[in-house]
Amino acid sequence: MGDSHTWTAAPSAAEHARSVLAASWSCAVTAEGGREEFVGAHTVAEDGRVTLAVPEDSTLVAAAICAPRGEPSAVLEFADVAPVPLRSRIRARLWIAGRFAAGDGRLEFEATRVVLRRASGAVVVDLDEFAAAAPDPLATAEARLLTHLADCHPDAIERLTRLVDPDSLHGAVRVQPLAVDRHGLTLRIERARAHGDVRLPFHAPADDVARLTERMHALLTQASAASCPRALQRQRTDGDG
């Protein structure tokens, strides 16, 4: 297949939203009774519907029962947090507005509006597209994959910077993996007072961890054939001094 980058697709807003939902362990709920934080309390159906297990004395139960029929009564908020320690770790936020229906100790949530905010801005996700989309196949494994890359293979990260435009590395003090999905790897380039992100697309989608390993090896092979960016050479020389 070669090492040239011919696959440049990125997750759609609906796919990204579903990936955030699939990987999130916590959920914040704002309703008329106030705001509550829940950890490990929500489950997600194949069509993206959220079910929340809450204590009997939760104000959400009363809010669900007393809310006007058919009217949105709550907002669920999920944060997409980078697993590797770096600046501005919240990569995206997902808000789902809608209404709860109480039943058998659980609250079923019916969405009426889905909004995804990324670094590029906020977008309203079509409800049908949201229901039909599937999470990225690497979403639930991403945290483990990125922390392993950052903790155990810093040499690989440095090698991958050879695929980055040298201008993007000017003034860099640290480079860390920010995100990975079936379409590519994103690096966070931190400078003294700012940061930027660079995406390295895979030559073909990685639909499981085995394929991801192959795609990463292809990137590293390509990086090995590239020259070391001057900006990074300066950074390393200054640091060694």
Side-chain angles (χ1 to χ4, degrees), residues 9-233:
S12 68
E15 290 170 336
H16 191 172
R18 289 297 301 273
S19 296
V20 172
L21 192 58
S24 294
W25 183 242
S26 62
C27 172
V29 182
T30 301
E32 186 175 347
R35 179 182 173 91
E36 293 189 58
E37 302 275 349
F38 297 93
V39 177
H42 71 276
T43 56
V44 184
E46 288 188 5
D47 62 359
R49 284 181 297 175
V50 177
T51 299
L52 195 64
V54 299
E56 292 183 1
D57 60 351
S58 170
T59 58
L60 286 181
V61 176
I65 295 173
C66 299
R69 184 181 298 275
E71 292 186 13
S73 57
V75 176
L76 311 185
E77 180 181 344
F78 303 87
D80 176 21
V81 182
V84 176
L86 37 71
R87 295 179 192 157
S88 302
R89 292 182 67 179
I90 297 180
R91 304 177 298 189
R93 289 189 184 275
L94 175 66
W95 290 279
I96 306 178
R99 46 188 167 264
F100 281 115
D104 195 24
R106 304 176 71 84
L107 295 176
E108 305 282 346
F109 194 75
E110 179 184 353
T112 58
R113 184 178 174 88
V114 177
V115 177
L116 177 70
R117 177 176 289 278
R118 302 180 276 193
S120 57
V123 58
V124 177
V125 181
D126 180 83
L127 291 177
D128 291 335
E129 292 179 4
F130 179 77
D136 187 89
L138 303 176
T140 56
E142 184 194 26
R144 171 175 56 85
L145 294 168
L146 289 184
T147 52
H148 176 77
L149 177 61
D151 294 343
C152 302
H153 301 285
D155 55 326
I157 298 171
E158 180 175 336
R159 199 190 321 170
L160 288 171
T161 60
R162 299 181 182 185
L163 301 177
V164 177
D165 186 325
D167 290 341
S168 297
L169 292 169
H170 182 73
V173 296
R174 187 173 69 156
V175 179
Q176 290 280 50
L178 173 68
V180 68
D181 55 60
R182 66 191 293 261
H183 303 293
L185 173 73
T186 302
L187 300 178
R188 166 65 55 83
I189 300 173
E190 294 186 346
R191 304 178 184 86
R193 295 183 178 84
H195 63 265
D197 302 332
V198 174
R199 186 169 174 83
L200 303 179
F202 299 141
H203 65 268
D207 291 327
D208 53 39
V209 174
R211 288 184 177 87
L212 173 64
T213 300
E214 189 276 332
R215 305 299 183 257
M216 289 295 298
H217 284 164
L219 282 180
L220 288 168
T221 298
Q222 184 179 356
S224 295
S227 60
C228 186
R230 294 178 181 176
L232 198 62
Q233 286 179 329

